[in-house]
């Protein structure tokens, strides 16, 4: 089974636009069969979900959830709940992207793929777990980010 993906914008800024999110949603939906064909991690639930809801939030909101559910009140990139909810921070994406010379849109898309990869059962608590997660996640990001329609030369996204 392939879940439907819904993305919600819960921030107001100049770069997380409905058009950007529509491109992300289309690319992620098209990418799902490829992710589901990858070996499942030990805690996989993705194929059993009807819906995955991805919420784009700011650092304050993700820090609040991080503190409440993971006992760490600091901002983070993504938080994934096994019932199919993923929160991603556009502030963290923009900060990381700026520091590493990549497009903030690509980094935000990466966080969404990261959440979906968690739902496919991959963990990232230990270095060897992270390696396995990134081995699945990064080829998907490289292959599917351009399909979002946001990958344009000189898009001033850094």
């Amino acid at each position: 089974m392939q879940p439907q993906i819904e993305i919600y914008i819960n921030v107001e800024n100049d770069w997380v636009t409905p058009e950007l999110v529509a491109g992300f949603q289309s690319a992620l939906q098209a990418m799902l069969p490829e992710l589901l064909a990858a070996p499942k991690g030990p805690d996989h639930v993705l194929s059993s979900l009807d819906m995955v809801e991805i919420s784009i939030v700011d650092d304050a909101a993700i820090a609040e959830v991080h503190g409440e559910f993971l006992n760490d009140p600091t901002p983070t990139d993504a938080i994934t709940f096994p019932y199919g909810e993923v929160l991603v921070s556009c502030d963290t994406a923009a900060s990381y992207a700026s520091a590493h010379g990549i497009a903030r849109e690509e980094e935000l898309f990466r966080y969404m793929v990261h959440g979906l990869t968690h739902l496919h059962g991959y963990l990232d608590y230990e270095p060897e777990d992270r390696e396995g997660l990134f081995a699945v996640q990064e080829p998907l990001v490289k292959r599917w980010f351009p399909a979002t329609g946001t990958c344009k030369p000189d898009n001033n996204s850094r």
Side-chain angles (χ1 to χ4, degrees):
M1 178 163 99
Q2 178 174 314
Q4 291 298 307
I5 295 176
E6 294 288 334
I7 302 175
Y8 301 98
I9 303 171
N10 294 299
V11 294
E12 290 185 29
N13 64 31
D14 63 343
W15 68 276
V16 178
T17 64
E19 295 79 19
L20 175 74
V21 169
F24 282 1
Q25 189 165 328
S26 293
L28 291 170
Q29 199 70 56
M31 179 207 75
L32 269 180
E34 192 172 332
L35 176 57
L36 290 167
K40 295 175 182 167
D43 297 320
H44 61 90
V45 296
L46 185 60
S47 62
S48 67
L49 297 171
D50 292 325
M51 169 89 55
V52 174
E53 295 182 3
I54 300 173
S55 294
I56 302 170
V57 300
D58 60 17
D59 273 354
I62 207 160
E64 184 176 328
V65 173
H66 200 205
E68 183 177 342
F69 290 94
L70 298 168
N71 212 23
D72 180 355
T74 61
T76 189
D77 52 1
I79 297 174
T80 305
F81 293 97
Y83 54 84
E85 183 178 6
V86 178
L87 285 89
V88 295
S89 173
C90 64
D91 292 343
T92 297
S95 296
Y96 185 90
S98 177
H100 293 87
I102 59 175
R104 61 190 175 193
E105 294 86 354
E106 180 180 354
E107 191 64 12
L108 185 60
F109 184 75
R110 175 174 284 107
Y111 295 171
M112 294 178 187
V113 174
H114 187 81
L116 293 170
T117 307
H118 274 311
L119 290 172
H120 196 52
Y122 288 84
L123 305 175
D124 58 2
Y125 299 118
E126 301 297 328
E128 60 273 5
D129 295 333
R130 275 191 291 282
E131 287 177 22
L133 184 144
F134 292 149
V136 172
Q137 169 188 297
E138 287 307 304
L140 294 171
V141 171
K142 295 301 180 207
R143 176 173 156 86
W144 290 98
F145 174 69
T148 67
T150 63
C151 195
K152 300 179 189 96
D154 195 32
N155 66 357
N156 296 318
S157 63
R158 292 184 195 152

